[in-house]
């Protein structure tokens, strides 16, 4: 009876409002609604299961009664069922309750929350989904890569009817790609790594779930795969270090691999190679300490002059070294020790100057390949440290060669496997025989265009050599030219900040070049600001640092549109979607402003902004002119209420959009295939269908890579 | 005419297919204000028994910390509808504050509900006693003027939490107490590691402290972080070795490698730990220390 009283009071609303005191009646109904919700929530918080179930039953009865009375339902039953699911005693019971909530067509917020609990917050369910998507993607990639070379809709496919060899090349390519993909089919993916972690977490969290045996099996399977990959990665790191000659690093990885379970056999080869290379290094270092077994000794008549030179070298005095060395050479030019003495003289000139003479002396000595000193001089002359400018020129030549190779031959094979490379070349040659050269020409032009747009080769070697030169010889006469060459290299590499810096360091920087670099730098920074969700600090940097550039002007416009600190903007779209927001418990706007009649005032698309204790309304001009703004100060209570309502509304929006994929179209999920086209580097036009991949976009992806 | 009928029929069929499903939600009239608050309390209820010691704090679908978000949404709702559901809102807020480690405010919140004529009053009274005990333990000082005093204070505070652990063993609040114990033991280990020069046999004591932390809290969500701190200690010891043996003839590459590899091994555990929040930090530490090791060895070769 106690529960029936409020029910009857609420049902009274069904009758036409004929009471004298309508406001008083409305207040009674409000109180009854509060009591109903209060009892429901209090039972839940008190964890009083039977009483809570009774409250839900009463709420359902009230909904039924209201429906019979042609009244709208309370709309709280889905929320109550969602709350009930939270009180269920086990994971399985909670999942069943959530599925029941979803079957009852809840409102969007409850639906979103229930879906989140079922699909994202439940680690095992999320892991299942990750693995299902992963399986789908592996199959789809296999199929897509097999179909792509055939380009079934490409214009060349029609020519294949005339000449089947044209299709044969694509078939070979398709087979090669499929073979490579099959080879890599069982690789451990990022999604599998995440699934393994999620399964483990779920089992630790809910060991009594009915899914525990299946989860345990999945953990075992993925765990074994992960351990294998860990071993393989460790051995690969050891091999890489060995290839690079870094034996200390290699030793760490070999030891790590040996300490890993079931990895001893895999690490054996690296272990043996490491031991061999360490022995060789030890022998080499030992030999380096004693470069010759029997050093040449001076003849009796040379002893005095030689000793004077040795003493000067030991003292490190360039003048004494030069004098003693020249004296020795003047008296004993044909001595077996002469090359060594010439080297000592070169060193004296290098230290005491003039350095150009030292360079000449070393270059001359380097031609003597018979003596140790000559070979040492040759090695020195060839080293980048001795000839930094030459090293820079070499790096530039290598870069030019790389670019030319790209334009003429295309990007090199990625070297995934020898099989792929061999078959790819075979496929290309078959196709090339049929191309009449036209695709080659198109490909050449395409690659030249792309090389002009973006440097396909690395500039790092040029940058390293150039920076090294400037660090060691900043006052050299060649420094301005090196700055200019570095500016070019940095610009090609897309590092416009450094390019600009080196451009400014040249004696007379070209204003047009500076403006161009500033423009590119500003564009890069603007793009970075966009990537960081419109980072205001970066935007200000672009706007104030490069005001004359297009990007600077764009940044300034965006800054002007940025909300101030603590401001909240509610657009007209949100106001229309959530009418309660404009009510007395929210922004408390006059209804006339939202009735779509301009004559009595109307909120514009920009909506309402809450700032500094006031509402700033953007209103449409009744005469059709530009929108106007009107500021209405609010009392502290009204301000707090309006702000709280606005924050709730924005949270609701964020919740609704939390799972939306901004890159996915509205109906995309209903269409499992796509058709796309491309022009490859050799100018071939391909149009082919494919199975859509399910994108892996975990917010924690870096934790599984 | 038949064609027109067919067209109308098709249009109706299409409209029926594309129409949005009927929704049971969307509260109306007097019930509308409560549609915002029920999901807030429901979401919190989902996580009231979470093991906050072993698992990271829960997040809502937008990726925010659920406890913090609950607090903000309760405040917002209360501002819009003051004086409604006061006991429910206060009780829920107190439960949230307790999960956030704000025991004093939680105890005050429970006390307020206990004094109200509410069905939640008896439960609030029980909760108040617990939150009060937690608040007393949490209020004990843990900072002092010197290492000895600090360690003593931390020890005393740990004893207080240990007693609470005994009292709340095997309840939903055991993890809350474990979080506090872990925090204090970590502070203790950090004090020892930071001041190992001032402690007799400091290096070994610091290593023991950090290893104890790792072994005792092997189930904690913070385990990777504790391992990283041990790696930092090993890295510091390797750096100190180089600093004290920087002359070429005093430097022993094998001894240095042994020390450096101990740090690298420890960092690598975290750097290859899938799913650990500290994985990127571990990768960064590993890469930086490995580079330093290579450069140091090259310098003395």
């Amino acid at each position: 009876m106690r529960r029936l009283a409020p029910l009857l009071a609420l049902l009274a609303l069904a009758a036409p409002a004929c009471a004298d005191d309508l406001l008083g009646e409305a207040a009674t109904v409000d109180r009854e609604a509060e009591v109903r919700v209060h009892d429901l929530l209090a039972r839940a918080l008190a964890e009083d299961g039977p009483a809570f179930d009774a409250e839900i039953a009463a709420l359902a009865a009230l909904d039924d009664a209201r429906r019979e009375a042609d009244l709208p339902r309370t709309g709280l039953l889905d929320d109550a069922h969602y709350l009930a699911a939270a009180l269920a005693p086990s994971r399985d019971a909670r999942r069943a309750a959530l599925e029941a909530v979803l079957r009852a067509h809840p409102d969007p917020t409850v639906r979103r929350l229930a879906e989140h609990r079922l699909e994202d917050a439940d680690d095992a369910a999320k892991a299942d989904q990750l693995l299902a998507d992963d399986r789908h993607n592996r199959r789809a990639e296999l199929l897509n890569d097999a179909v792509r070379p055939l380009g079934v809709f490409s214009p060349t496919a029609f020519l294949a009817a005339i000449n089947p060899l044209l299709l044969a090349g694509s078939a070979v390519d398709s087979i090669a790609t499929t073979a490579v993909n099959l080879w890599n089919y069982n690789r451990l993916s990022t999604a599998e790594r995440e699934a393994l972690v999620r399964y483990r977490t779920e089992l630790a969290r809910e060991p009594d779930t009915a899914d525990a045996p299946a989860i345990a099996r999945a953990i075992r399977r993925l765990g074994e795969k992960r351990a294998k990959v860990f071993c393989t990665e460790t051995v690969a790191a050891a091999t890489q270090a060995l290839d690079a000659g870094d034996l200390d690093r290699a030793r760490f990885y070999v030891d790590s691999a040996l300490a890993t379970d079931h990895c001893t056999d895999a690490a054996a080869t690296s272990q043996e190679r490491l031991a061999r290379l360490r022995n060789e290094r030890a022998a080499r270092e030992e030999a380096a300490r004693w470069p010759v077994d029997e050093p040449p000794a001076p003849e009796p008549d040379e002893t005095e002059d030689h000793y004077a030179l040795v003493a000067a070298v030991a003292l490190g005095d360039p003048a004494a070294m030069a004098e003693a060395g020249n004296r020795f050479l003047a008296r004993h030019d044909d001595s077996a020790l002469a090359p060594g003495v010439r080297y000592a003289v070169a060193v004296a000139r290098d230290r005491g100057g003039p350095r150009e003479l030292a360079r000449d002396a070393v270059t001359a000595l380097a031609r003597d390949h018979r003596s140790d000193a000559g070979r040492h001089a040759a090695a020195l002359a060839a080293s980048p440290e001795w000839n930094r400018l030459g090293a820079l020129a070499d790096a530039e030549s290598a870069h030019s060669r790389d670019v030319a190779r790209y334009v003429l031959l295309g990007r090199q094979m990625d070297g995934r496997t020898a099989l792929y490379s061999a078959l790819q070349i075979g496929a290309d040659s078959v196709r090339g025989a049929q191309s009449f050269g036209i695709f080659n020409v198109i490909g050449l032009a395409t690659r030249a265009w792309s090389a002009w747009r973006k440097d396909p080769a690395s500039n790092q070697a040029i940058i390293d050599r150039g920076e090294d030169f400037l660090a060691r010889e900043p006052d050299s006469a060649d420094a301005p030219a090196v700055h200019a060459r570095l500016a070019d290299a940095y610009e090609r590499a897309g590092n416009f900040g450094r390019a600009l810096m080196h451009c400014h360091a040249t004696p007379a920087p070209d204003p047009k070049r500076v403006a161009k670099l500033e423009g590119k730098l500003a564009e890069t920074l603007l793009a970075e600001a966009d990537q960081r969700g419109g980072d205001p600090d970066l935007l200000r940097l672009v706007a104030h640092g490069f005001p004359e550039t297009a990007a600077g002007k764009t940044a300034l416009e965006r800054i002007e549109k940025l909300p101030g600190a603590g401001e909240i903007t509610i657009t007209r779209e949100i106001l229309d979607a959530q009418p309660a927001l404009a009510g007395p418990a929210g922004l408390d706007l006059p209804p006339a402003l939202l009735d779509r009649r301009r004559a009595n005032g109307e909120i514009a698309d920009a909506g309402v902004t809450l700032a500094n204790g006031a509402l700033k309304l953007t209103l449409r001009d009744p005469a059709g002119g530009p929108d106007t703004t009107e500021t209405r100060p609010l009392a502290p209570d009204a301000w707090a209420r309006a702000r709280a309502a606005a924050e709730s509304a924005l949270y609701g929006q964020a919740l609704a959009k939390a799972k939306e994929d901004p890159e996915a179209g509205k109906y995309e999920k209903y269409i499992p295939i796509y058709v796309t086209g491309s022009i490859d580097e050799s100018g071939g036009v391909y149009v082919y269908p494919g199975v859509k991949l399910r994108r892996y976009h975990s917010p924690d992806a870096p934790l599984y890579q | 005419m038949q064609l027109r009928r067919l067209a109308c029929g098709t249009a109706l069929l299409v409209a029926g297919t594309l129409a949005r499903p009927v929704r049971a939600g969307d509260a109306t009239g007097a019930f509308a204000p409560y549609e915002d608050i029920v999901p807030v309390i429901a979401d919190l209820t989902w996580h009231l028994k979470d093991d906050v010691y072993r698992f990271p704090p829960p997040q809502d679908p937008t990726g925010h910390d659920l406890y913090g978000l609950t607090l903000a949404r309760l405040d917002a709702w209360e501002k819009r509808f003051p004086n409604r559901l006061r006991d429910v809102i206060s009780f829920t807020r107190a439960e949230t504050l307790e999960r956030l480690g704000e025991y004093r405010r939680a105890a005050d919140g429970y006390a307020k509900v206990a004094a109200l004529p509410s069905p939640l009053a008896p439960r609030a009274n029980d909760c108040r006693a617990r939150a009060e005990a937690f608040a007393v333990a949490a209020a004990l000082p843990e900072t002092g003027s010197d290492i000895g005093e600090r360690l003593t204070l931390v020890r005393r505070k740990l004893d207080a939490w240990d007693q609470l652990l005994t009292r709340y063993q095997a309840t939903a609040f055991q993890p809350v107490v474990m979080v506090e114990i872990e925090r204090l033991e970590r502070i203790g280990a950090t004090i020892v590691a930071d001041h190992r020069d001032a402690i007799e046999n400091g290096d070994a004591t610091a290593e023991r402290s950090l290893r104890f932390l790792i072994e005792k809290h092997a189930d904690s969500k913070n385990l990777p972080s504790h391992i990283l701190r041990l790696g930092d200690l090993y890295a510091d010891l390797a750096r100190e070795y180089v600093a004290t043996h920087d002359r070429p003839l005093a430097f022993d590459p094998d001894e240095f490698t042994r020390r450096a590899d101990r740090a690298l091994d420890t960092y690598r555990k975290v750097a290859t730990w899938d799913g650990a929040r500290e994985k990127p930090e571990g990768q960064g530490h590993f890469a930086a220390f490995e580079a330093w090791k290579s450069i140091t060895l090259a310098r003395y070769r």
Side-chain angles (χ1 to χ4, degrees), chain A residues 34 38 45 47 73-74 82 94 105 107 117 226 234 249 251 253 285 585 644 651 700 703 705, chain B residues 22 24 27-28 34-35 43 46-47 60 80 85 87 123 257 268 272 274-275 277 279 286 290 301:
Chain A
E34 184 181 352
H38 174 270
L45 289 171
E47 294 179 33
R73 283 173 287 189
T74 62
Y82 177 62
R94 286 194 291 274
H105 303 298
D107 66 50
R117 302 239 158 258
R226 172 79 182 87
T234 309
R249 203 157 152 260
R251 188 170 81 163
Y253 286 111
E285 286 180 353
Y651 178 72
D700 297 329
L703 305 186
Q705 287 163 350
Chain B
V22 178
T28 52
Y34 306 105
E35 197 167 39
D43 272 341
W46 274 94
H47 296 286
D60 83 321
R80 292 173 68 192
L85 304 178
D87 57 339
R123 192 176 169 82
T257 303
R268 192 156 185 258
T272 55
D274 282 348
R277 300 271 143 208
K279 184 177 181 178
F286 180 83
E290 192 184 39
R301 174 141 295 124

Side-chain angles (χ1 to χ4, degrees), chain A residues 10 13 29-30 33-34 36-47 59 62-63 66 72-80 82-83 85-87 94-95 98 104-110 112-113 116-117 188 193 197 201 204-205 226 230 233-234 246 248-249 251-253 255-256 278 281 285 580-581 585-586 637 640-641 644-645 647-648 651 654-655 658 667 700 702-705, chain B residues 18 20-32 34-39 41-51 54-56 59-62 64 66 69 72-73 75-77 79-89 91-92 95 118-120 123 253-254 257-258 260-262 264-265 268 271-280 283 286 290 293-294 297-298 301:
Chain A
L10 285 163
L13 260 184
V29 173
D30 278 353
E34 184 181 352
R36 165 74 50 233
V37 177
H38 174 270
D39 288 354
L40 179 84
L41 293 176
R43 304 299 173 207
L45 289 171
E47 294 179 33
L59 195 62
L62 177 60
D63 265 356
R66 286 172 71 94
R73 283 173 287 189
T74 62
L76 288 183
L77 197 57
D78 52 348
D79 302 80
Y82 177 62
L83 176 58
L87 293 167
R94 286 194 291 274
R95 288 187 64 81
L98 284 174
H105 303 298
D107 66 50
T109 303
V110 174
R112 179 71 197 94
L113 292 172
H116 170 70
R117 302 239 158 258
L188 183 74
R193 284 172 182 250
V197 172
T201 307
R205 207 191 289 263
R226 172 79 182 87
F230 182 76
E233 284 174 351
T234 309
D246 191 344
D248 298 311
R249 203 157 152 260
R251 188 170 81 163
F252 173 78
Y253 286 111
D255 288 349
S256 289
R278 288 189 75 193
R281 183 174 76 177
E285 286 180 353
L581 180 59
D637 282 357
R641 207 164 45 237
E647 281 170 357
S648 296
Y651 178 72
L655 199 62
Y667 300 110
D700 297 329
L703 305 186
Y704 304 100
Q705 287 163 350
Chain B
L18 296 179
R20 297 162 75 188
V22 178
R23 290 185 179 134
D26 299 329
T28 52
F31 287 96
Y34 306 105
E35 197 167 39
D36 278 349
I37 197 65
V38 179
I41 294 173
D43 272 341
L44 178 70
T45 308
W46 274 94
H47 296 286
L48 281 176
K49 290 180 180 161
D50 274 9
D51 188 336
R54 291 167 69 203
F55 304 106
Q59 292 182 334
D60 83 321
T62 63
H64 289 90
L66 192 123
L69 188 70
R73 293 183 71 194
D75 288 347
W77 195 86
K79 278 176 192 157
R80 292 173 68 192
F81 307 103
N83 301 321
R84 289 199 202 182
L85 304 178
R86 282 180 64 190
D87 57 339
V88 168
I89 299 294
F91 188 85
T92 312
E95 285 193 310
S118 161
L120 288 170
R123 192 176 169 82
D254 288 338
T257 303
R258 193 186 64 76
D261 283 358
R262 205 166 49 160
L264 284 175
D265 266 332
R268 192 156 185 258
T272 55
W273 192 321
D274 282 348
R277 300 271 143 208
E278 295 79 2
K279 184 177 181 178
Q283 287 169 332
F286 180 83
E290 192 184 39
K293 177 193 155 190
S294 294
L297 281 172
R301 174 141 295 124

Side-chain angles (χ1 to χ4, degrees), chain B residues 84-111:
Chain B
R84 289 199 202 182
L85 304 178
R86 282 180 64 190
D87 57 339
V88 168
I89 299 294
S90 297
F91 188 85
T92 312
R93 183 183 287 119
E95 285 193 310
T96 313
L97 286 166
E98 206 172 3
R99 268 72 185 178
L100 288 167
E102 297 289 333
Y103 307 115
R104 169 52 53 209
R105 288 171 66 192
D108 293 346
Y110 285 131

Side-chain angles (χ1 to χ4, degrees), chain A residues 396-637:
Chain A
E396 286 172 332
S397 301
H399 174 267
S400 301
R401 276 199 305 276
D402 288 346
V403 174
R405 191 183 300 134
Y406 167 77
V407 172
L408 292 171
L409 303 173
R411 201 171 290 284
Q412 288 182 321
M413 300 302 158
D414 59 8
R416 279 188 292 179
T417 66
L419 173 71
Y420 182 87
S421 302
L423 289 176
Q424 181 79 32
I425 290 165
D428 280 350
S429 63
V430 174
R431 260 207 306 269
Q434 302 300 316
S435 67
F436 301 104
I438 187 68
F439 284 166
N440 286 337
V441 173
I442 294 171
L444 208 72
T446 310
R447 289 193 296 272
W449 166 256
S450 83
W452 184 72
R453 298 273 300 166
K454 190 175 186 305
D455 194 346
S458 169
N459 287 276
Q460 198 55 47
I462 303 173
I463 289 168
D464 289 346
R465 304 278 182 275
E467 293 286 9
D468 188 41
F469 180 91
L470 290 174
R472 289 171 193 271
E473 299 177 43
D475 302 322
S476 161
D478 294 318
V482 174
H483 277 299
R485 289 154 81 175
L486 275 177
D488 291 343
Y490 274 120
E491 186 182 358
R492 285 195 301 267
N495 190 340
F496 303 114
R498 297 286 298 178
L500 194 60
M501 191 196 82
H502 282 290
C503 193
H504 278 305
T506 55
D510 177 7
K512 280 186 187 168
R513 176 96 196 276
V514 169
K516 184 182 156 199
L517 287 174
E518 283 184 345
K520 285 184 173 177
L521 178 58
E523 276 173 25
T524 311
L525 290 171
L526 186 64
E528 200 178 326
D530 286 343
Q531 275 178 354
R532 294 191 199 171
D535 184 337
D537 292 334
L538 264 182
L539 286 176
R540 279 188 203 100
L541 178 70
V542 178
H544 300 141
F546 309 98
E548 299 303 320
T549 62
K553 286 166 188 160
T554 309
L556 192 62
E557 281 171 19
R558 290 199 195 156
I559 287 169
E560 285 168 357
K561 286 180 186 167
L562 281 178
E567 281 186 7
I568 299 179
T569 299
I570 301 290
T571 61
R572 173 67 194 245
E573 193 184 357
I574 299 176
L575 284 170
D576 287 340
Q578 302 188 39
L581 180 59
L587 304 177
D588 200 12
L589 296 174
L593 293 179
L594 294 162
D595 63 0
R596 301 199 175 277
R597 281 187 285 181
R598 275 180 183 245
N600 59 2
E602 191 68 14
I603 299 278
D605 291 344
V608 180
T609 301
L610 289 93
N612 303 323
L615 276 184
K616 192 173 86 179
L617 310 175
T618 308
L619 300 168
R620 291 199 176 113
D621 181 19
D627 294 343
T628 57
T629 56
E630 183 184 315
T631 303
R632 297 183 181 184
L634 295 177
D637 282 357

